[in-house]
Amino acid sequence: MRTAYIGSIIALSSVCGVASAATQVFTPADSDVFDLDHTQAYAWGLKYTVPTGETITGARLIISNIWNWQVETNSLKITLMNTPPAYGTSSTIGTSSNYLVTKDDAENVSDYWEKYKNNGNKKWDGWDRMFTWSDADSSATKNTLVYDFNNLYVYNANQTQLLQTISGGPASLTEFKNFIQDGIIGIGFDPDCHYYNDGVKLEITTRKETNTVPGPMAVLPFALGFIASIRRRRTVR
């Protein structure tokens, strides 16, 4: 009977799951995407391979201290791309693993990247809106935007106060994970006004599950204590 107790204790104690998480931070080749000039549209191409044995558990796009340069109708449209424009085309900076492509938008109020969503030759196949944001403040007050592939959170500049929550999508974390499976992903920016900012970054969080199996000696003190308590109970009886 005592042997059975020891076996049960070791069996229960010998398997435990340990989850380790890591977050990688990426910034575009120009950290503030040229201050999101309203005459242009931009595509950020990023190569990323999920580490072996890990899975993506979260992603966030963060734009720090953004503000519209004057009082006017404005709209910032940001999209998720399965296949961004290729590296090496004209008006490209950065490396083949992390680059920015600039296109002349001529201040067109329509979304520059939307017209490529279902184009005939599938040049930039796969596209979905992440979010649209307008700076409603008539002053030069700065905001920090955080998009978690579910909602857009609008904070004050130093992120001490949440000012607004805006439903995002249809680009979702599931779509982000699907798009990045081939090792490359893109984010498109179409600023229909001039948005000064202090930097753009993308955070990708992954988790790796590992199992640790301690040897019998690791649980032996507990087992012996358990047996001793049984003996004491029997003696009392």
Side-chain angles (χ1 to χ4, degrees):
M1 189 68 177
R2 279 177 251 169
T3 303
Y5 277 126
I6 295 173
S8 299
I9 294 167
I10 293 175
L12 290 171
S13 304
S14 62
V15 179
C16 59
V18 178
S20 58
T23 299
Q24 290 186 270
V25 181
F26 303 90
T27 56
D30 185 89
S31 62
D32 59 14
V33 191
F34 301 106
D35 264 325
L36 296 171
D37 191 323
H38 53 179
T39 64
Q40 310 293 328
Y42 309 93
W44 178 13
L46 180 67
K47 289 185 178 179
Y48 173 78
T49 301
V50 181
T52 302
E54 298 187 16
T55 183
I56 294 175
T57 57
R60 300 196 308 167
L61 181 73
I62 302 172
I63 306 177
S64 299
N65 299 336
I66 186 171
W67 57 283
N68 184 26
W69 76 304
Q70 65 181 20
V71 181
E72 62 183 341
T73 301
N74 63 89
S75 177
L76 174 62
K77 306 177 184 71
I78 299 188
T79 65
L80 182 68
M81 300 174 171
N82 189 16
T83 307
Y87 172 76
T89 58
S90 60
S91 301
T92 302
I93 67 167
T95 68
S96 60
S97 298
N98 187 345
Y99 61 92
L100 273 175
V101 177
T102 301
K103 298 291 184 180
D104 186 7
D105 186 38
E107 300 186 50
N108 192 319
V109 296
S110 63
D111 193 321
Y112 181 88
W113 301 110
E114 184 172 7
K115 59 187 175 183
Y116 296 105
K117 182 176 182 180
N118 295 307
N119 64 320
N121 61 7
K122 300 292 182 182
K123 185 176 181 181
W124 299 322
D125 188 24
W127 179 105
D128 260 323
R129 177 71 53 78
M130 291 167 63
F131 64 85
T132 300
W133 178 74
S134 295
D135 185 0
D137 196 326
S138 59
S139 69
T141 302
K142 298 177 180 180
N143 295 118
T144 291
L145 309 182
V146 180
Y147 181 65
D148 66 354
F149 290 85
N150 184 26
N151 294 313
L152 173 67
Y153 301 95
V154 183
Y155 294 90
N156 60 342
N158 57 9
Q159 295 190 59
T160 58
Q161 183 180 2
L162 177 62
L163 305 176
Q164 189 179 12
T165 301
I166 302 172
S167 296
S172 63
L173 182 61
T174 298
E175 188 169 66
F176 180 90
K177 292 162 67 174
N178 289 337
F179 280 8
I180 211 167
Q181 282 183 350
D182 62 356
I184 189 169
I185 202 164
I187 296 177
F189 302 81
D190 185 5
D192 290 328
C193 196
H194 195 148
Y195 294 97
Y196 291 105
N197 69 91
D198 288 342
V200 176
K201 64 182 179 181
L202 176 67
E203 297 179 348
I204 301 177
T205 301
T206 61
R207 183 181 64 193
K208 182 176 182 179
E209 295 288 346
T210 59
N211 290 322
T212 59
V213 182
M217 294 304 294
V219 296
L220 185 58
F222 176 79
L224 293 176
F226 184 72
I227 294 169
S229 68
I230 294 174
R231 285 177 172 173
R232 283 194 297 270
R233 286 198 296 269
R234 287 181 175 175
T235 302
V236 171
R237 291 176 184 174

